[in-house]
Amino acid sequence: GKTPVTNKQYAEFLDATKHKEPTFWKDERFGINAKDAAGKVVGSDLPVVGVTWQDAVTYCEWLSAATGKNFRLWGKLTEYYY
């Protein structure tokens, strides 16, 4: 399906590949360490932010190789180039 990649999913990629952490990765507003109003850490369920186009392509390539399924970016601009 077409769903955003969560911080938790992206963390698996970072751990497996030692890829550079994206901008805002440790930001407490929306990164992996983000907290809700009560102070509970909820960042792992949020969509990953601060990735570059190339980071996203590399993630898709890694996920495709790891699962044996085809993953790629989607959207109007992406459809133009693929």
Side-chain angles (χ1 to χ4, degrees), residues 3-78:
T3 60
V5 175
T6 66
N7 285 324
K8 181 179 180 180
Q9 293 167 316
Y10 204 78
E12 293 173 16
F13 162 69
L14 293 177
D15 289 342
T17 64
K18 307 305 180 218
H19 193 80
K20 179 184 172 195
E21 293 177 350
T23 306
F24 309 117
W25 182 247
K26 295 181 180 169
D27 191 298
E28 290 191 7
R29 296 171 294 167
F30 36 70
I32 192 73
N33 299 320
K35 298 176 183 174
D36 65 11
K40 179 181 174 189
V41 176
V42 294
S44 62
D45 296 329
L46 298 176
V48 66
V49 297
V51 297
T52 66
W53 177 273
Q54 189 57 52
D55 290 338
V57 169
T58 302
Y59 174 81
C60 290
E61 292 170 348
W62 169 80
L63 188 59
S64 295
T67 63
K69 298 178 182 179
N70 184 33
F71 290 90
R72 64 185 182 91
L73 301 178
W74 60 274
K76 290 182 181 180
L77 183 60
T78 305

